[in-house]
């Protein structure tokens, strides 16, 4: 693996992006478009492509209503990218506090998922739901917001998916529950181009490597909007 | 509803197909093709269309490997219809006793799902899995038999889907879990035409209405291949 695994050549631990230099097959190299801010673009290679790939694969575009579940690192990119693809975007969040934040990121609407009346009001209205929440949560209330033939896409890992999905939520409306993991190199290059053209970046906070422990503690508390990016120049200090 | 519900006009109980005559909108009438055996064709309108509709919807055809889970009323039609669409068909059954029966119905291969070695041998090989089992069962071993982008189609109702699905089984291979419920009238007419052309029928046992209680007991024991059909002429005796 890229990080913390035995190197194939000399058996030392791999350092991935923390290396001063790295030898890699050209098939795995991406070109950063001119004019893109490197720090803001860095998470496009993970949070960006993880949300873009399934939206593209499932054909999300103009005329579609898309729900984004969770307003974090993946969620805020999901909003921007679903908008860039032409969809009408609704953020689902448990927290009233994130309503303004979702709108600032471009969401057309926000549903507070803990408010049953708000959930009932959007029953059977969505074409796609992009679920970025990486902890166990009940999918059934979200499945109920999908129209006939709607698709719920999981990009956050849940093992197992509990509470269990009710079969009727899939069968009666021919709905689909789909998974997706990151994306390939050509698709990532396509995304970088799109982001450069439409001026789409991740919201990041740049830190020096010396601040990594504080940043880790803040991340655990959810105190980051939305990704820390390490300035590797600081490694030499 | 068609059966056992208050009639919209006079409030009496609806009798559905047990009526001597029935008044129905022409939009809900199907034409039985010439030469088709009515008794053998009857379950096409339920077991047949329930398996055909998702196979068609998901684009099953030549070059696809399709697994059929369960060798009952739906399963035996699933085998015949997936074969008619050009797929290579494997039946998954828990019971060695059904191996010959599956082959007689046209299955190219049979996997005894309780035999781990047989399951391991087909890991990541299927494009589609049509799951006709209407009682709770673990989907995870079947998901593991799907290739990248493979689709597991549920037509048997499980509420809830337990044991729970493992998220990684969907996410890491971009697999899909889909539901489907019966099918529409134009699709059913298309299926009747296909069945007449290719001489596809359900395996049925015709009974008189007077035998209904015995037939019900036998059905509960699984002692029917694969559907009882009532000869409505017997109602007049």
């Amino acid at each position: 693996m890229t990080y913390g695994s035995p190197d194939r050549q000399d058996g030392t631990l791999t350092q991935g992006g923390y290396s001063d230099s790295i030898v890699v097959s050209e098939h795995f190299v991406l070109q950063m478009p001119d004019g893109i801010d490197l720090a803001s673009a860095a998470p496009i290679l993970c949070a960006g492509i993880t949300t873009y790939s399934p939206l593209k694969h499932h054909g999300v575009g103009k005329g579609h209503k898309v729900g984004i579940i969770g307003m974090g690192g993946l969620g805020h990119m999901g909003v921007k990218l679903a908008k860039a693809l032409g969809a009408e975007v609704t953020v689902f969040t448990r927290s009233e506090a994130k309503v303004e934040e979702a709108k600032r990121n471009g969401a057309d609407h926000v549903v507070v998922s803990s408010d049953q009346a708000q959930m009932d009001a959007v029953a059977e209205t969505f074409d796609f739901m992009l679920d970025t929440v990486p902890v166990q949560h009940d999918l059934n209330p979200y499945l109920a917001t999908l129209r006939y033939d709607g698709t719920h896409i999981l990009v956050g890992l849940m093992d197992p998916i509990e509470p269990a999905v009710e079969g009727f939520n899939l069968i009666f409306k021919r709905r689909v529950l789909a998974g997706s993991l990151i994306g390939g190199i050509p698709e990532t290059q396509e995304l970088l181009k799109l982001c450069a053209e439409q001026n789409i970046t991740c919201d990041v906070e740049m830190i020096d490597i010396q601040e990594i422990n504080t940043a880790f503690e803040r991340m655990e508390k959810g105190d980051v909007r939305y990704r820390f990016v390490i300035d590797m120049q600081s490694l030499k200090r």
Side-chain angles (χ1 to χ4, degrees), chain A residues 106-173:
Chain A
D108 299 297
H109 317 280
V110 183
V111 170
V112 178
S113 57
S114 50
D115 181 338
Q116 191 58 45
Q118 288 192 37
M119 291 295 281
D120 289 347
V122 294
E124 296 184 27
T125 56
F126 287 90
D127 300 286
F128 299 94
M129 199 62 63
L130 181 65
D131 187 341
T132 72
V133 178
V135 294
Q136 287 187 321
H137 58 287
D138 191 355
L139 304 189
N140 293 296
Y142 298 105
L143 289 171
T145 69
L146 289 173
R147 318 165 69 126
Y148 189 83
D149 273 341
T151 300
H152 187 109
I153 305 161
L154 292 174
V155 293
L157 198 53
M158 275 197 292
D159 284 326
I161 299 174
E162 283 179 339
V165 172
E166 298 288 338
F168 74 85
N169 271 329
L170 297 176
I171 288 175
F172 279 69
K173 300 284 173 181

Side-chain angles (χ1 to χ4, degrees), chain A residues 39-44 46-48 51-52 55 68-84 89-92 98 101-107 130-133 155 195 200-205 224-229:
Chain A
S40 306
I44 292 172
C46 187
T51 49
Y52 180 72
L55 294 173
I68 309 285
I69 310 176
M71 191 61 208
L74 270 71
H76 94 291
M77 287 308 291
V79 172
K80 293 178 186 189
L81 294 170
K83 284 300 292 179
V89 176
T90 301
V91 165
F92 286 75
K98 291 202 173 166
E101 186 64 14
K103 290 195 171 164
R104 191 180 64 73
N105 273 285
L130 181 65
D131 187 341
T132 72
V133 178
V155 293
C195 289
I200 297 170
T201 52
C202 288
D203 297 9
V204 302
E205 185 177 331
V224 52
R225 281 182 183 169
Y226 283 96
R227 286 287 187 256
F228 289 117
V229 171

Side-chain angles (χ1 to χ4, degrees), chain A residues 1-5 7 13-23 232:
Chain A
M1 304 286 279
T2 314
Y3 297 95
S5 294
D7 185 279
L13 273 195
T14 54
Q15 307 284 335
Y18 305 124
S19 308
D20 287 321
S21 59
I22 186 167
V23 178
M232 292 311 295

